């Protein structure tokens, strides 16, 4: 992707961004505040900037008169970057450069660590669980009229070196015709055994040579979203990809409400058919866009949390939500995809990622397997934040895990104006330290409709660091801005966007109750990590690497996450982001039989801690119910920044 | 069963028969002729006999006047035996006692060899493929909340000593509820692996203790008839049994016509659903009569010929009837019974008897396994005569087999008045050597409707031995009876029953064409046996035992079969009859895992000879196209009887 350098004055900060990006997003990345209370889209006209060198596309609206445009004024939210530019942001007079630079730190997003087939290839692990073998068998005659299966098995022994063969009834049914369609030249699909002494299962037979066409699907079933990938089993390449909301959302936001629905009459089969429907739709969309034949998909590897997986198979999940929280199984049998109504060929087999416990599901196991942390020396903390949060710590010698009851605050749950990351969601934010006016950036540059997880995280961190809220999450009521006010039920709030600037005909606010929800959620995750670490006798300083997974991780501003005390304060270089760990793991499992073999041992090795049963958890949690923590010494960089800011404010009388 | 002694005068032959039997059937067993051209049921009134001592029940009809009754006359076909009696049969005067005794030899049916569970128990082989294990598992608690499956597996390891466990999706689905219904006391159904290193498959879980209720079904699918048995897997006892015609009969009498129907559009699925319907009906009837729960049936073991088995699974059978006669497989995978529409529990597994070739199917393999000839030292000739005939020779060291294209003559096929063994079928026969009047016995003692296999065999053998037909099957036209006549198309025939004595308003006859069909059929079987023996370098004299199987075998008069040259002339004591070998084998396979293990090797060991490809077959066949054979020296006992008869006839001028 082509990039351009954008310099903001008077801050004199330069940042490199992709061409096509808007100026307002570039400013946020650079840590430069521009007043923008309408979320972009040129509605309020407040995000005026002036071009000093270079040019941008668009950026002009009726909010600017001809004279302004001639002088180089543009609306930052509408200006598309086409090349290097120098832009001046009108700022309040009398603020000294030190304050200016103090305002916002540039973004620190985690390094994205790509796990792909090349790493498997390097380690000699790339050997898919599926083989497609082309055979040219001798035609039968009077002297050799052994049964079709015997002929096939003998061919697989001699040409493919395969023994211990078994075949499915559907293959057997199709065998006589397929063998004879192209004079006993056939392609056989074989699912290898997990263990070497197991059986090779012949799942499909096709006349002619189809050995090059070997595909698999990898699916992540999240509580909120479902993603599917179509993978070439020869190259490891992703041939198609689609995501969508989990259709079960209409039956409850989180796993607990889904389980409750499943307990109602007919609920379980409804939820099963709904998720099957979502997956079938994704498969259809992927296949429609590719030239790949549904018949050439040998397996569908699925990872999901324990509840999602049990619902997929219509296994009653009621015991997942009741102490002592017993899931149905750890390992799942393989079975034909059509058994559960998946719209795939008769021969396509479902391979399910195993799970550890009711709250450490196949999604987490997949992440552990996909990243390979179970076979590395490095001591790693793996943290997956989605609708729930789970933490795994360990390396190739041992692994421990725990689930944190974080709740869905990071996905907008429990937040008055919380919403999922969709059009109109405030996803980024900054605050003017003098006027306390907001700078909002929304998804789709549309009028704001609500706040999504990343917006929430950023705004609370910024409000705290800039002194708008204290370490208990309460507003400073003496800042002299009418954006901070007492709300309807006596709860104090900050007005992010006023009614006329929103798309929902109401003021959009962030209240102290919302902030408390966020603090509870981050405290659950932080104390979960710390409790698990202390249970295994380790401290954060011994962790060599933090791997962040989950939809949430993709936009997380590491420094902000540490400011909140969501993440421990570590060198950001030690943090790696892998995106959707569940999907990654499903894909890697689909690609290498080694993972299917290893996972059986890994899930035995993963010691599960029930935090609610761990005495130190409650005290860790209580201590984390502050911003960033009751003990600021655990966050020395933040402590230094807060002290520097205090000194600056005192000297400048801000 | 209580018996009574019946003495026939003037023959002075005494026979012991079951009480309740009719006098006419007792006479046939004793080899005593009574004129009875109407097949029983008191229609013609010709089978008058006179009681000299003792009494019978019934036996009186309007055909006898009061005076006759008072004198002790009864109709033999209506007289039910209640105790010892002495009966005089009115015979033509002037026939000397030697001729009288010559007329008919008493019956020599084969010894019925019962194979039952006790022989398996003695040999330590009684270990069913299914185990039902009752477990009392610890309830989960906070300190032990492993998944349900792990708890179950651990219980099976510790209490059942089972390892390498796998479970079906349906078991997994039902597990959470079943475990908790009776406080973690459950019964687990485990299908053992065929080989020790294989996996134990958990197919069912039931709350509470059901370990005593372990049942299996054994089914024989014949081309004409289907039999099912319900077996107690603990005792080996047969708890219920039913047979019925194969519903596919309407789509063709023999396998070839079934295959042709299967090749027509929709034909294959029609034939599959018809046979499934037949089996479901039998299962329903058996269960209705028992107190056994469908849920307690763990397996259904099915044996059938190759075509029947492929049709059951809807595997296109077209290549079975086309050179080089390749069947789809030798071994079948196991699968859930519901997969093919069997009306059994979700967990019930189908186990199919493997097959050797297109014409040596699972029925024959089952017979070989069920009789245990594959593990005996004794050199055995196994002959199964049903709609087709198959022969196996060998012992524990080797086995060879061949299929004979005998055609369905023994089941009434290709015979003008041929019919299956059902009501009104002439099933037994004798002939008066002076008047050439017949004695007919029909199934159900009803007016005759046709001739079934046993009747045909008996009448042709008797006609030959008494000189009514010659060794090419042609009638002696000079016997002075109008029952021998030239039929409509110039073919000579014998009138078995005249129109008014039949139930079909037509004369029932046996023609030279019918006899030729029978000769072709018996020649195919005899020459099949001889060709197979010579191919393996053996003669009949080296065979230590002949095992006869098949519905046909149940009524076969061994001496008559040898008279025809259907069986080689051997000491009748060397012949054992096992009845339905396929059903026997299915039952034994259901009862002992050893057979499932052994059969894999046995089918490899069974060398299949295609008789049509074996040069000596045609000359053997041609030589056998006589009664009993072109070389009478192969049948010395018959030769002696024929010569004795010739001398007697000359001396008595009969």
């Amino acid at each position: 992707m082509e990039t351009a350098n954008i310099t903001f004055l008077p801050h004199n900060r330069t940042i490199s961004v992709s061409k096509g990006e808007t100026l307002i997003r570039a400013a946020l990345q650079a840590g430069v505040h521009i007043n923008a209370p309408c979320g972009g889209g040129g509605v309020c006209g407040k995000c005026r900037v002036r071009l000093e060198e270079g040019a941008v596309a668009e950026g002009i609206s009726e909010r600017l008169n001809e004279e302004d445009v001639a002088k180089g004024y543009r609306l930052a939210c509408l200006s598309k970057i086409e090349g290097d530019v120098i832009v001046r942001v009108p700022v309040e007079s009398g603020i000294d450069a030190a304050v200016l630079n103090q305002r916002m730190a540039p973004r620190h997003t985690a390094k994205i660590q790509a796990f792909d087939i090349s790493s498997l290839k390097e380690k000699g692990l790339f050997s898919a669980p599926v083989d497609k073998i082309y055979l040219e068998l001798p035609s039968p005659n009077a002297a050799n009229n052994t049964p079709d299966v015997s002929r096939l098995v003998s061919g697989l022994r001699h040409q493919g070196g395969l023994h211990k063969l078994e075949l499915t009834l559907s293959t057997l049914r199709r065998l006589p015709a397929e063998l004879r369609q192209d004079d006993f030249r056939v392609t056989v699909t074989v699912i290898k055994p997990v263990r070497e002494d197991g059986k090779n299962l012949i799942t499909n037979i096709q006349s002619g040579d189809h050995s090059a066409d070997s595909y698999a699907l990898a699916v992540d079933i999240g509580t909120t979203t479902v993603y599917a990938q179509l993978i070439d089993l020869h190259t490891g390449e992703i041939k198609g990809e689609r995501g969508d909301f989990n259709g079960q959302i209409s039956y409850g936001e989180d796993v607990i409400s889904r389980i409750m629905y499943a307990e109602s009459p007919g609920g379980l089969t409804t939820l099963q058919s709904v998720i099957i429907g979502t997956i079938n739709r994704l498969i259809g969309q992927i296949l429609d866009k590719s030239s790949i034949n549904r018949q050439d998909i040998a397996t569908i590897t699925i990872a999901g949390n324990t509840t999602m997986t049990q619902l997929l198979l219509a296994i009653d999940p009621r015991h997942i939500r009741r102490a002592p929280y017993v899931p149905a199984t750890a390992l799942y049998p393989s079975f034909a995809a059509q058994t559960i109504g998946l719209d795939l060929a008769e021969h396509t087999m479902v391979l399910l990622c195993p799970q550890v416990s009711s709250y450490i599901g196949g999604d987490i196991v997949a992440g552990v397997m996909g990243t390979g942390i179970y076979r590395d020396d490095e001591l790693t903390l793996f943290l997956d934040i989605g609708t729930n949060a789970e933490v795994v710590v360990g390396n190739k010698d041992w692994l421990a895990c725990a689930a944190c009851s974080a709740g869905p605050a990071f996905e907008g749950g429990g937040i008055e104006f919380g919403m999922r990351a969709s059009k109109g969601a405030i996803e980024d934010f900054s605050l003017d330290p003098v006027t306390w006016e907001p700078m909002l950036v929304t998804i789709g540059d549309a009028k704001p409709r609500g706040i999504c997880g990343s917006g929430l995280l950023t705004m609370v961190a910024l409000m705290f660091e800039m002194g708008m809220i204290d370490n208990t999450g309460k507003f400073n009521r003496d800042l002299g801005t009418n954006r901070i006010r007492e709300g309807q039920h006596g709860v104090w709030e900050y007005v992010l966007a006023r009614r006329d600037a929103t798309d929902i005909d109401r003021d959009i606010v962030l209240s102290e109750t919302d902030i408390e929800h966020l603090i509870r959620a981050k405290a659950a995750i932080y104390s979960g990590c710390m409790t698990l670490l202390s249970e295994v006798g380790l401290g954060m300083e011994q962790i060599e690497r933090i791997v962040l997974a989950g939809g949430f991780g993709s936009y997380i501003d590491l420094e902000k996450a540490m400011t909140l005390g969501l993440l421990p304060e570590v060198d950001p270089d030690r943090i790696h982001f892998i995106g959707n760990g569940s999907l990654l793991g499903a894909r890697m499992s689909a690609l290498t039989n080694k993972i299917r073999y290893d996972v059986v041992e890994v899930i035995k090795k993963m010691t599960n801690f029930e935090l609610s049963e761990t005495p130190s958890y409650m005290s860790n949690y209580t201590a984390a119910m502050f911003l960033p923590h009751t003990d600021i010494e655990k966050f020395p960089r933040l402590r230094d920044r807060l002290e520097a800011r205090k000194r600056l404010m005192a000297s400048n009388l801000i």
Side-chain angles (χ1 to χ4, degrees), chain A residues 255 303-310 320 325-332 353-368 382-384 388-393 399-405 528 532 602-603 605-611:
Chain A
V255 296
N305 65 49
T306 304
T307 303
M308 290 306 112
T309 310
Q310 290 199 192
I320 291 177
Y325 315 113
V326 178
T329 190
L331 291 160
Y332 287 94
C353 287
Q355 61 211 17
V356 173
S357 66
S358 278
Y359 295 99
I360 299 290
D363 51 348
I364 302 307
V365 171
V368 167
F382 175 93
L383 183 60
D384 191 317
N388 293 295
E390 297 89 6
V391 56
V392 183
V393 66
L399 291 161
C401 55
C404 314
S405 327
L532 184 62
V602 168
I603 57 164
K605 216 189 320 193
M606 282 174 78
T607 313
N608 184 44
F609 287 84
E610 295 287 351
L611 293 179

Side-chain angles (χ1 to χ4, degrees), chain A residues 133-138 149-162 165 188:
Chain A
I133 302 165
Y134 172 61
L135 296 173
E136 298 188 349
L137 299 170
V149 170
S150 312
R151 189 169 306 274
L152 185 73
V153 164
S154 152
L156 282 168
R157 277 199 187 133
H158 293 117
Q159 293 175 52
L162 287 177
L165 292 152
V188 182

